[in-house]
Amino acid sequence: MASPAKQRLVVVGNGMAPGRALERLLETAPDAYDITIFNAEPRVNYDRIMLSPVLSGDKSFEEIVIHGDGWYVKHGITLYKGAKVTSIDRAARTVTAEFVRARTDSHPAPPPVTMAYDRLIIATGSNPIIIPVPGHDLPGVLTYRDLDDVEAMLLAARSRGNAVVVGGGLLGLEAAAGLKEQGMDVTVLHLMPTLMERQLDPAAGHLLQRAIEARGIKVITRANTRAILGTNRVEAVELDNGTRLPAELVVMAVGIRPNAQLAKDAGLTVNRGIVVDAGMRTSDPEIFALGECAEADGQVFGLVAPLYEMANTAAAQLAGDAEARFKSSATATKLKVTGISLYSAGDFAEAKDREEIVLRDATRGLYRRLVLKDNRIIGAVMYGDTSDGPWFFDMLRRGTDVSDMRERLIFGQNYAGGIPLDPAAAVAALPDDAEICGCNGVCKGKITGAIAGLGLKSLDDVRAHTKASASCGSCTGLVEQLLKAQLGDAYNPAAVQPMCPCTDLGHDDVRRLIVAKALKSIPQLMQELEWKTSCGCAKCRPALNYYLLCTWPGEYVDDSQSRFINERVHANIQKDGTYSVVPRMWGGTTSAKELRAIADVVDKFGIPTVKVTGGQRIDMLGVKKEDLPAVWADLNAAGLVSGHAYAKGLRTVKTCVGSEWCRFGTQDSTGLGIKVEKFLWGSWTPAKVKLAVSGCPRNCAEATCKDIGVICIESGYDIHFAGAAGLDIKGTELLGHVATEEEAIEVIAALTQLYREQGRYLERIYKWAKRVGVETIRQQIMDDVERRRALYARFALSQQFAQRDPWAERAAGKDAHEFTPVADLRIRAAE
């Protein structure tokens, strides 16, 4: 129920434009509206610009989410997922939505919802155009518009068969590159003579085609599709010249059309899109429209920059600024396919009143063309080296007279304006309102202001606070140059450090490519990623083994030869060459039976030292290597399993006695510690992981210096993480508070999985948290419930294959040669 002082704002659609509008509205008038969103997609708001990296495997869906579930909860927004608005009653000021039942959902859909509004935003986006050729409705013919399309393409790509992409524009080429990365044999059909003819001139289009073909993608221009062939599903594409192309998948990427039917049915004025005035109001002043469905000043828009301008205008109007106006301006285009750099802006068509300046280096694949009119840049096309694109674009937007620098103009900012040959100085010379990030409409002044005002030190900081370079990332270099110009030597760019001398790739790149290229063995990985050595080294092999184990649970077979000696023999080697053995004691508890078994083993094998560890376990030191299998067999027989005291994995969960015995204990810390350990044991992680659960803030289990710690309090459980008590001493950070043991276990498992997926090999949790950002982790685990549950589910899946006692395998004879003494080859004296 709406608060008396608030108006009711209903939003139809949950894409990037309404998301930006709500962000701005909440910044300026956080208490003005009770907000309800209807989203036809069954998910939260995500960055559609980044669908191509998801298709190519470079990113996951979780990485492109803009607003997780926690954001809506935090701002009191009601979000209906999978709810499609079917009608607007303008007289009654209500909307009615029907729930879209998922194909896999056997339950009946909930009843329709009718919601009253005072103000309404229509942001229904656009629909992909389907060429109405015969066979266009066959199974296997897809469009490329949302995450469902991407998931369908990824499913189809498993066949490693043939894919035909109809459309050689921006979306079509990104789809083609993604499908190629997924292993399909891809052909692009384009009706026009050159690719991306709306953004590129023929010369740049030719260079682009050459680069696309160099990736193994076939390109056919002047290709007119006559029919899509198949009986029960798509089998081939037929062109009007009779050519038949085999295809298990056809992607239509030939354009979009504003989705304005809902507005039209409601009686609003609609031309190509929903007609709005400069304040983004439709023909009904209480109804706004923005995004790809809206038509402003006779134009509809598909690039994100003008859509964000629409969003800012609508937000300002809703916040009470009646003077806010949308004004369309020139936009720039970049292709988001790794390794291909192109940039275009403005109008570059030929005409009698125009002049052009061209720089062409065919051998190096460089091309620049500037179109001038009255000594002002009105269009720019760049291919190969696009570093000067923002500078040209800024002059284009300003209408700068270039007469004085015309002779040097084509060579770029470093030469044309007498600016030193220093990229940072060149960027520093840009005016504050120069646009740096076209995807998010972020200008230089906002970035430098945030760096100075908020004390930002890193690229991630700038992304978090301004969104600059947070979408396609093509402006990352510019943002880094601004950081360098602003901070000087205090800026330390996170340059990629190779994993080891065997490769130039860093840990993050290797992990990304394992997923993108579906690499499932160390030899395959080394071959595909062009390792410099035949078998790797002691630094890279353990890391690769871990990354493959984490990425492909149940598929990848652990390579024991890629583990350090302690992990390979499942015991800790000591300085005299003997080993120590540590059985697992759940939550630090044991029993007479276990103690008796340990005592018997100590006596039987003459183990010289028995010691209690700092993690509340019993350590048997001085075990001969050849005795290890027999020691493990006896311990296993008593029900004891490996404590993984040697592992880059979960080691211990230390506990106090909690409410069961202690006068101050608020919760059953021992019981919770046992539950956590029994759920997490066996999991491999980038580095060792130690936990503790304390029953009260007196913290007898020392939870606030562990990798993950729990402090039980009257109202539930405070969960901490990122502590250290080894080479570095560091207290933990508070992750969040939960009310129940079940929630605590879910949070701990999700946090562990996030660390497993993002941590670099041998990087402890506190170092990972420092690199990624404590607040970022907190948002992903505590605020974004949907993501937390997804992480939890992936961890639980992985545990199905991880919780096998390595001692039992070795005691049964696996790798027995590891524990057999070498032959005594000493020369004996002759009798």
Side-chain angles (χ1 to χ4, degrees):
M1 181 178 295
S3 304
K6 292 186 177 182
Q7 290 191 304
R8 296 160 298 189
L9 173 64
V10 172
V11 184
V12 183
N14 197 34
M16 295 173 68
R20 173 58 63 91
L22 293 180
E23 282 181 359
R24 293 290 178 265
L25 180 60
L26 293 168
E27 287 172 4
T28 53
D31 299 321
Y33 295 94
D34 275 316
I35 302 171
T36 301
I37 303 173
F38 290 95
N39 187 18
E41 286 192 58
R43 52 185 67 91
V44 294
N45 182 21
Y46 60 92
D47 189 343
R48 290 176 192 273
I49 296 172
M50 302 307 285
L51 283 176
S52 295
V54 174
L55 176 60
S56 64
D58 288 347
K59 287 185 179 291
S60 65
F61 171 68
E62 288 76 15
E63 291 176 289
I64 67 169
V65 167
I66 297 175
H67 299 136
D69 284 303
W71 185 83
Y72 300 96
V73 173
K74 177 181 177 182
H75 294 289
I77 297 173
T78 301
L79 170 62
Y80 288 98
K81 300 177 185 175
K84 182 179 181 181
V85 172
T86 54
S87 64
I88 300 171
D89 186 336
R90 290 170 53 201
R93 290 193 179 180
T94 62
V95 300
T96 298
E98 294 180 355
F99 286 88
V100 182
R101 198 178 67 177
R103 283 174 291 184
T104 56
D105 189 355
S106 59
H107 301 290
V113 171
T114 296
M115 182 69 61
Y117 67 84
D118 297 303
R119 302 286 181 85
L120 176 68
I121 295 177
I122 302 176
T124 45
S126 58
N127 293 321
I129 295 174
I130 305 289
I131 304 174
V133 295
H136 71 274
D137 52 355
L138 280 170
V141 179
L142 302 174
T143 56
Y144 184 24
R145 189 66 195 142
D146 57 26
L147 186 67
D148 289 334
D149 296 330
V150 170
E151 290 177 342
M153 281 192 264
L154 288 173
L155 187 63
R158 291 181 183 176
S159 70
R160 302 289 194 270
N162 299 292
V164 172
V165 177
V166 183
L170 198 64
L171 270 184
L173 296 179
E174 289 176 4
L179 291 170
K180 184 65 182 177
E181 285 289 333
Q182 294 298 328
M184 299 201 80
D185 188 355
V186 184
T187 301
V188 173
L189 304 179
H190 193 55
L191 185 60
M192 304 305 289
T194 56
L195 299 174
M196 291 184 66
E197 77 285 348
R198 294 180 62 186
Q199 292 86 17
L200 301 178
D201 62 10
H206 166 74
L207 289 171
L208 175 60
Q209 180 173 340
R210 195 170 70 178
I212 294 289
E213 290 173 335
R215 290 165 174 263
I217 298 171
K218 293 186 279 295
V219 177
I220 303 176
T221 56
R222 296 186 173 90
N224 192 13
T225 302
R226 175 192 292 167
I228 298 172
L229 309 177
T231 305
N232 296 317
R233 62 171 294 111
V234 62
E235 297 173 4
V237 174
E238 184 178 74
L239 305 183
D240 60 359
N241 64 4
T243 301
R244 288 194 176 189
L245 303 166
E248 285 76 38
L249 172 67
V250 174
V251 178
M252 290 268 195
V254 293
I256 57 175
R257 181 178 293 123
N259 182 9
Q261 191 60 47
L262 178 68
K264 193 172 185 178
D265 293 343
L268 299 174
T269 302
V270 173
N271 289 333
R272 291 174 62 200
I274 306 168
V275 177
V276 294
D277 62 15
M280 305 313 299
R281 294 175 191 267
T282 67
S283 52
D284 182 334
E286 303 306 329
I287 300 178
F288 294 74
L290 56 89
E292 292 174 341
C293 65
E295 177 182 320
D297 197 21
Q299 299 181 70
V300 292
F301 301 87
L303 297 176
V304 73
L307 303 187
Y308 276 172
E309 282 303 315
M310 288 182 173
N312 294 339
T313 303
Q317 288 276 346
L318 287 165
D321 180 3
E323 301 301 318
R325 290 288 183 271
F326 169 74
K327 183 179 180 182
S328 63
S329 57
T331 55
T333 299
K334 303 164 193 171
L335 185 66
K336 296 181 290 296
V337 175
T338 304
I340 296 178
S341 297
L342 64 82
Y343 190 103
S344 76
D347 180 359
F348 45 84
E350 295 182 3
K352 289 183 180 179
D353 60 345
R354 299 176 179 184
E355 300 170 335
E356 63 179 21
I357 304 174
V358 175
L359 172 65
R360 190 195 310 269
D361 185 338
T363 302
R364 296 175 60 199
L366 298 178
Y367 176 77
R368 286 185 177 187
R369 175 169 169 247
L370 298 176
V371 180
L372 308 181
K373 182 178 179 180
D374 300 329
N375 283 320
R376 288 169 172 78
I377 299 173
I378 63 169
V381 182
M382 307 176 70
Y383 188 93
D385 178 6
T386 62
S387 57
D388 286 309
W391 184 62
F392 290 133
F393 184 52
D394 186 60
M395 287 192 289
L396 183 153
R397 294 175 63 198
R398 294 171 180 280
T400 304
D401 189 329
V402 297
S403 303
D404 293 341
M405 63 178 100
R406 178 167 175 145
E407 291 182 355
R408 306 179 304 277
L409 183 65
I410 196 67
F411 298 108
Q413 186 177 14
N414 287 338
Y415 297 93
I419 296 171
L421 294 174
D422 178 355
V427 174
L430 290 173
D432 280 349
D433 59 350
E435 185 180 74
I436 299 297
C437 177
C439 294
N440 293 295
V442 185
C443 63
K444 176 192 166 186
K446 182 172 182 178
I447 298 171
T448 54
I451 294 171
L454 301 174
L456 309 184
K457 301 291 186 185
S458 69
L459 180 63
D460 287 341
D461 287 344
V462 174
R463 285 174 173 165
H465 288 89
T466 70
K467 294 189 182 297
S469 84
S471 290
C472 78
S474 58
C475 63
T476 298
L478 288 174
V479 176
E480 289 193 307
Q481 287 166 18
L482 284 175
L483 278 160
K484 179 66 177 176
Q486 195 91 348
L487 302 177
D489 293 337
Y491 174 57
N492 180 24
V496 175
Q497 297 295 322
M499 289 180 64
C500 66
C502 301
T503 179
D504 293 329
L505 296 170
H507 287 262
D508 298 337
D509 287 329
V510 169
R511 299 201 75 168
R512 176 176 58 80
L513 291 167
I514 285 173
V515 177
K517 293 179 175 290
L519 305 176
K520 298 189 177 179
S521 72
I522 290 178
Q524 183 190 16
L525 181 151
M526 290 182 172
Q527 181 66 28
E528 287 291 324
L529 303 188
E530 301 179 359
W531 234 244
K532 297 177 182 177
T533 55
S534 61
C535 299
C537 69
K539 288 184 69 175
C540 63
R541 285 194 72 99
L544 299 180
N545 189 50
Y546 167 71
Y547 293 150
L548 290 164
L549 261 179
C550 180
T551 307
W552 310 114
E555 294 187 66
Y556 174 72
V557 178
D558 183 30
D559 178 16
S560 64
Q561 294 306 309
S562 296
R563 291 192 175 279
F564 296 120
I565 177 64
N566 286 353
E567 288 190 334
R568 195 162 66 242
V569 301
H570 300 285
N572 274 328
I573 191 169
Q574 303 298 331
K575 68 178 185 180
D576 63 352
T578 63
Y579 289 81
S580 66
V581 173
V582 182
R584 189 168 290 282
M585 292 179 175
W586 309 106
T589 59
T590 185
S591 65
K593 177 187 175 185
E594 290 178 348
L595 291 172
R596 195 171 293 116
I598 290 171
D600 289 344
V601 166
V602 170
D603 286 345
K604 181 177 179 181
F605 295 96
I607 296 173
T609 301
V610 180
K611 188 179 186 310
V612 176
T613 73
Q616 300 177 333
R617 308 293 188 266
I618 290 178
D619 193 357
M620 290 170 274
L621 295 123
V623 182
K624 297 175 184 175
K625 186 175 182 181
E626 56 268 31
D627 288 342
L628 285 172
V631 168
W632 297 333
D634 285 2
L635 293 172
N636 278 161
L640 292 160
V641 299
S642 169
H644 289 76
Y646 46 83
K648 305 293 181 284
L650 177 76
R651 294 195 175 179
T652 60
V653 180
K654 189 175 180 180
T655 66
C656 65
V657 295
S659 58
E660 186 177 8
W661 294 97
C662 178
R663 291 176 297 147
F664 306 105
T666 63
Q667 308 282 355
D668 180 13
S669 56
T670 307
L672 176 57
I674 293 171
K675 290 177 184 174
V676 170
E677 186 164 358
K678 288 196 171 180
F679 187 55
L680 266 63
W681 82 276
S683 57
W684 297 106
T685 48
K688 64 182 178 182
V689 173
K690 294 182 178 180
L691 282 77
V693 182
S694 288
C696 77
R698 287 170 177 78
N699 193 18
C700 292
E702 301 168 331
T704 51
C705 65
K706 299 297 184 186
D707 297 291
I708 302 174
V710 180
I711 302 293
C712 301
I713 58 178
E714 293 287 350
S715 61
Y717 308 87
D718 283 343
I719 299 177
H720 296 247
F721 77 118
L727 292 174
D728 294 319
I729 308 296
K730 179 182 177 301
T732 51
E733 307 283 346
L734 178 63
L735 181 65
H737 176 83
V738 295
T740 67
E741 284 191 348
E742 290 73 21
E743 291 174 288
I745 293 172
E746 180 178 283
V747 166
I748 291 169
L751 174 66
T752 305
Q753 182 65 17
L754 189 64
Y755 167 55
R756 279 162 50 86
E757 294 178 1
Q758 295 182 350
R760 298 167 183 164
Y761 193 67
L762 301 183
E763 183 180 49
R764 293 285 302 276
I765 283 186
Y766 71 97
K767 292 183 177 179
W768 161 67
K770 182 180 180 181
R771 174 170 61 83
V772 175
V774 170
E775 186 58 33
T776 300
I777 295 170
R778 192 177 287 137
Q779 289 172 355
Q780 294 179 77
I781 301 298
M782 302 307 299
D783 297 344
D784 190 342
V785 177
E786 190 170 314
R787 180 163 196 182
R788 180 171 84 207
R789 289 176 179 164
L791 287 164
Y792 174 86
R794 291 203 290 277
F795 182 81
L797 172 67
S798 175
Q799 287 298 85
Q800 294 178 23
F801 310 99
Q803 290 191 330
R804 293 170 182 156
D805 181 25
W807 286 356
E809 295 177 337
R810 300 306 174 99
K814 181 182 178 184
D815 297 331
H817 64 281
E818 287 261 3
F819 311 98
T820 303
V822 296
D824 187 349
L825 300 178
R826 288 175 295 182
I827 300 174
R828 293 182 179 179
E831 292 294 336

